[in-house]
Amino acid sequence: MFPFGIVYNIDLAGKVFCNFLILNNRRKGKINMLEMSQAAEQVLFLAEKKKLKDVDIVVERNESLDLEIQDGKVEKVEQSTSLGLGVRVLDEGRTGLASTERLSLESIEIAFKNACENAKLHDPTEVIMLDPPKKIPDSSLLALYNPELEKLNSDQLAELGFSIEDSVKAADNRVVSIPYLGVSRGRNEYLLLSSTGVFYTQHSNEVAAWCGPLLQDGDSRKSGMKILNRREWDPNAGKRVGEEAVEKAVELLNASPIKSAKMPVVLDEYTAPDFLRMYFGAFSGEAAQRGLSRLKGKIGQKIAVPELTLMDDPHRQGGKRSCFMDSEGFLTKQLPLIENGIFKNFLYHVESARKENKTSTGHASRGYSGGISTRSNNLVCTAGDYSLDQLCKLEKKCLLVTELEGQAGCDPVSGDISIGVQGFLIENGRRIQPVDSVTVAGNFFDVLNNIRGYGNIYQPELTHLFIPALLIQEMSVSG
């Protein structure tokens, strides 16, 4: 039953020793996958003792090192580590959840008992524990972890931050300040273990830098934001990050509204994913069952232009949400949501699928402190043949959107869109003026049927949304 073949002594001396091992390692910052596995297996030991057959455990560890830079100095250093264990039990169809952030034997036992008690408070559901697949691919094949990033220390991160700051100050004399400037390194470890024999682990790490300078030209003040988020370390990236952040601000200095009109809108490769992400919940089978998706009952129907294909790809190398197994132990696979404009599939976990006599699609998500929910993996929209400039030339006049401002006017259920934007008025392929203080309005489901062109690249930073620049035939622009 136990993947590592660990034998737990029931006597007091054995408990004390195992308890000391886990706690001592945690105090020293040495909790690793082995100790995480030992903690999870202790839950299985308790379940076996109670003759409870359906139990699974999630253990997560997150570690980050963050530096804030100001005036050639490290203004703030924050190093944090979070560790938690979540227990899920099924007792006669009733689900019980509990968690702990202490991996002592006493805390684990309390969490297990709480999960058992919580199960008694719920009605039976369609949830079942899955048997393990015959073979689980090695998660290292997803290229989510770069061991070289673990060697980075605070001095190296600080040097990157200093080079960004120097680059910003040298780029333009209109720089007033740099309110946002920092560098970070992060790591995540995830473990899923079940009484049915499911065992899956995954490691990921990343490095990030961000810069948001403020520029002033007369009465006009604009900020630009550049974020670098990769799984590779480039110590020479500072100059580029700083210059691009300044360039973004410079381009929008002296921006002004334009007259209200209905016109084509181009979303660049950075804003297109953020623009659409708030509406992708419509593809959740669970949302449809709750009456929270306008796509309910539309499987097999045309919902988008024939050129649009949207794929959920959990196996994309380096993707933010790449995985071989979901949080219920179901193997993931590529799944078309929209194929040549036709709505093909909802996303399901075990319970939502069984309500419709279907099989899970491998889209169960769960952290150690919560229950099962539906979540997409990497969403990939097929790229086209146009550069951003070429896309803007397809229409005589259009609005190029390069910044979004809030989501308060957007309704993810109805699909209604009303969002502030910044960008450029384009005429005959040329930028006529920078634009701000305008609102773009429409509906997500109409947008799907009004996409006229696709960019040929995705934004390069770490993401789970691979959406190229998009040309939308018509939206309402209010100045």
Side-chain angles (χ1 to χ4, degrees), residues 122-297:
H122 295 92
D123 294 328
T125 66
E126 298 287 337
V127 178
I128 61 170
M129 289 278 177
L130 300 173
D131 291 328
K134 292 181 179 179
K135 184 177 180 181
I136 304 173
D138 186 341
S139 61
S140 65
L141 298 174
L142 295 171
L144 307 179
Y145 181 77
N146 180 358
E148 294 301 312
L149 297 186
E150 301 302 316
K151 302 175 184 178
L152 295 176
N153 57 40
S154 58
D155 289 339
Q156 291 169 295
L157 296 177
E159 284 301 319
L160 178 61
F162 296 150
S163 67
I164 294 174
E165 186 178 50
D166 291 342
S167 176
V168 168
K169 292 179 177 180
D172 199 294
N173 58 15
R174 291 170 291 182
V175 173
V176 176
S177 62
I178 312 176
Y180 307 102
L181 177 54
V183 187
S184 70
R185 171 174 61 82
R187 172 179 177 169
N188 170 268
E189 294 174 88
Y190 177 90
L191 179 148
L192 173 66
L193 181 66
S194 82
S195 55
T196 62
V198 171
F199 178 66
Y200 181 69
T201 64
Q202 186 164 297
H203 297 210
S204 63
N205 62 358
E206 61 191 78
V207 64
W210 56 95
C211 176
L214 177 65
L215 277 72
Q216 181 167 354
D217 185 2
D219 294 330
S220 178
R221 293 166 66 92
K222 285 293 177 183
S223 60
M225 177 61 72
K226 174 63 181 177
I227 298 174
L228 180 78
N229 191 194
R230 306 285 175 94
R231 299 197 196 277
E232 302 86 26
W233 172 247
D234 180 3
N236 301 313
K239 186 174 186 295
R240 173 170 54 86
V241 171
E243 290 177 347
E244 290 184 12
V246 171
E247 182 181 3
K248 284 191 171 188
V250 168
E251 290 178 334
L252 290 171
L253 282 170
N254 301 303
S256 60
I258 55 176
K259 290 183 179 180
S260 298
K262 289 187 176 181
M263 66 172 64
V265 171
V266 174
L267 304 169
D268 72 11
E269 64 270 22
Y270 291 91
T271 56
D274 287 337
F275 188 85
L276 298 180
R277 78 164 69 224
M278 63 193 92
Y279 301 100
F280 285 145
F283 295 99
S284 163
E286 186 177 17
Q289 291 164 2
R290 294 177 178 177
L292 300 176
S293 172
R294 283 182 53 182
L295 294 178
K296 183 177 182 178

